Amino acid sequence: MAVSAQAGTLGFGCQTAKESVATTWYRHRASDVDLASLDDQRTGPPEVGGQPMPTIPYKGGVAVAGGAIINPRLEDTFGWLLYGAMGGVSSTTSGNIGTHVFAPVTASPEFIPWMSFRKHVTGLDADLAKDIGEIYQDCKMAGLVFNLPNDGLISARLDALGRIPSYDETPSSWSWDNTFEDYQSLPIGVCTGGYIKVPSFSANELPVVSATVGIVNQPLPMNRERVYGSPYMRDITIVGRQLSVDLVLQWEDPNLYRAIHTGSSSGASSWSCDPFTTDLQILAQSPANISGESVPYSLQIDAAEIMLSVQGGIRLAGNDAVMLRLSGVALAQADPADYASFTLKNLETAYTWPS
């Protein structure tokens, strides 16, 4: 008999500092979790006087890597993952509704806070003695990428990199600061209030068939973070940050395509060496309103300036609709906080990282 993964649990929490562990833990439903401890087992080289088979086993250290695919609930706990991915937040309230803008920190655009994650894997036949819990300490969010389908649930892939795993024989005794959030705050692609726009080109919504957008925080390679005398990485250093987007559009007219190639949506007939840049705004909403309010839960993604390029040209096939595929990379701004932001609206008044 196999063990169902559905009985497992993914959790996360905020650390006050490096080499601490979260004391408040949140759980979130997930459809796929591959966050795990990496036990780097190796074999040594062949030696003169030895055999042609491996003879030297050893370990190169340990770390935490991987992530999870979730359908993000916007009610509460997802805000902590946005905070962990972006580095900073500012919150305002209007009535009961909180508006939380997650963005890079102006003074330290490379800053990503430390987080803890944990995973409960259940054993066979609901036998608690066969359960195992893994706790991942000193983690940083390496990425948060959204899949925006035209007819389904919006999903997000989170990735993390961590320093120290540990193992717990009694994860059934873990306490949580929240219950699992229900489906009402799930954003869905078919909600009529949602849109994807490049406002500086046109105020109209783009006819998007499918899209992905997300922030990637590139860490220094693990082997460059390790130092002699320790199996753990000394730190997790973020050396690059990038928000990127991939869009597949229904072809309506050549205006955007022509603007990317020539710099003008009309009147120009030759290729331009100037790259095409614009701002980008994406809004996703839940079908249900915020509890007790007349507006839905929402997540808005903004990039102040993004370079768009056409991928693969325009394909004409006799039995296919004409599509336009675009990819884009957000560009740095004078204030790093203006680079990109995720705006979450719910009933929370603030997200305050513990210190």
Side-chain angles (χ1 to χ4, degrees):
M1 177 180 173
V3 176
S4 172
Q6 195 172 31
T9 306
L10 171 70
F12 50 87
C14 310
Q15 290 187 194
T16 58
K18 177 185 171 184
E19 297 183 347
S20 65
V21 178
T23 56
T24 300
W25 291 93
Y26 308 100
R27 50 189 166 179
H28 198 291
R29 299 189 192 278
S31 57
D32 189 8
V33 180
D34 57 34
L35 184 66
S37 58
L38 301 183
D39 186 23
D40 187 5
Q41 300 200 40
R42 308 178 184 181
T43 57
E47 296 175 297
V48 174
Q51 300 180 26
M53 290 75 79
T55 58
I56 305 174
Y58 73 102
K59 290 189 176 184
V62 67
V64 175
I69 298 174
I70 65 175
N71 300 120
R73 273 78 170 166
L74 305 183
E75 181 181 339
D76 179 12
T77 58
F78 188 65
W80 295 113
L81 295 175
L82 290 170
Y83 201 150
M86 297 305 290
V89 65
S90 61
S91 299
T92 58
T93 56
S94 178
N96 295 321
I97 299 174
T99 300
H100 315 282
V101 181
F102 301 90
V105 177
T106 297
S108 302
E110 76 288 346
F111 172 76
I112 299 294
W114 293 104
M115 299 186 71
S116 299
F117 288 83
R118 65 185 184 187
K119 181 176 68 177
H120 178 182
V121 183
T122 55
L124 186 64
D125 299 326
D127 185 349
L128 298 182
K130 298 177 181 177
D131 288 6
I132 185 69
E134 291 191 331
I135 300 170
Y136 311 125
Q137 179 184 347
D138 291 350
C139 298
K140 289 190 177 183
M141 291 278 289
L144 187 61
V145 179
F146 293 85
N147 180 41
L148 307 168
N150 57 2
D151 61 353
L153 295 172
I154 291 172
S155 63
R157 166 74 192 193
L158 66 93
D159 282 281
L161 182 64
R163 295 181 60 241
I164 305 172
S166 59
Y167 310 92
D168 190 340
E169 294 182 345
T170 58
S172 58
S173 65
W174 288 350
S175 62
W176 302 94
D177 198 62
N178 70 312
T179 57
F180 282 118
E181 294 159 276
D182 213 336
Y183 66 90
Q184 284 88 352
S185 66
L186 283 168
I188 303 177
V190 298
C191 290
T192 56
Y195 57 76
I196 299 178
K197 297 179 180 179
V198 285
S200 67
F201 177 78
S202 170
N204 297 326
E205 302 170 20
L206 297 175
V208 176
V209 175
S210 65
T212 59
V213 61
I215 185 78
V216 173
N217 302 316
Q218 180 187 350
L220 197 67
M222 284 190 283
N223 63 346
R224 296 183 63 186
E225 289 282 18
R226 287 202 176 97
V227 295
Y228 187 84
S230 173
Y232 307 118
M233 293 183 291
R234 185 167 177 264
D235 208 331
I236 298 175
T237 306
I238 303 302
V239 296
R241 308 191 70 185
Q242 179 174 292
L243 184 130
S244 58
V245 62
D246 188 278
L247 306 172
V248 177
L249 315 180
Q250 291 179 344
W251 178 274
E252 292 185 329
D253 56 50
N255 291 347
L256 180 55
Y257 175 83
R258 188 167 181 165
I260 292 172
H261 279 268
T262 71
S264 174
S265 60
S266 63
S269 60
S270 60
W271 176 82
S272 171
C273 62
D274 290 332
F276 176 81
T277 65
T278 181
D279 47 353
L280 174 73
Q281 187 173 84
I282 299 173
L283 179 65
Q285 294 184 329
S286 65
N289 285 337
I290 297 173
S291 178
E293 303 295 327
S294 59
V295 296
Y297 298 92
S298 66
L299 178 66
Q300 181 173 304
I301 305 172
D302 289 278
E305 185 179 19
I306 191 164
M307 179 181 66
L308 285 179
S309 60
V310 178
Q311 296 299 307
I314 305 301
R315 181 171 180 263
L316 299 179
N319 61 346
D320 285 343
V322 180
M323 296 291 177
L324 175 65
R325 183 178 179 186
L326 305 176
S327 65
V329 176
L331 304 174
Q333 303 297 297
D335 184 346
D338 295 332
Y339 174 68
S341 65
F342 293 77
T343 301
L344 175 64
K345 286 191 176 183
N346 56 23
L347 287 179
E348 294 302 307
T349 57
Y351 289 88
T352 303
W353 206 271
S355 59

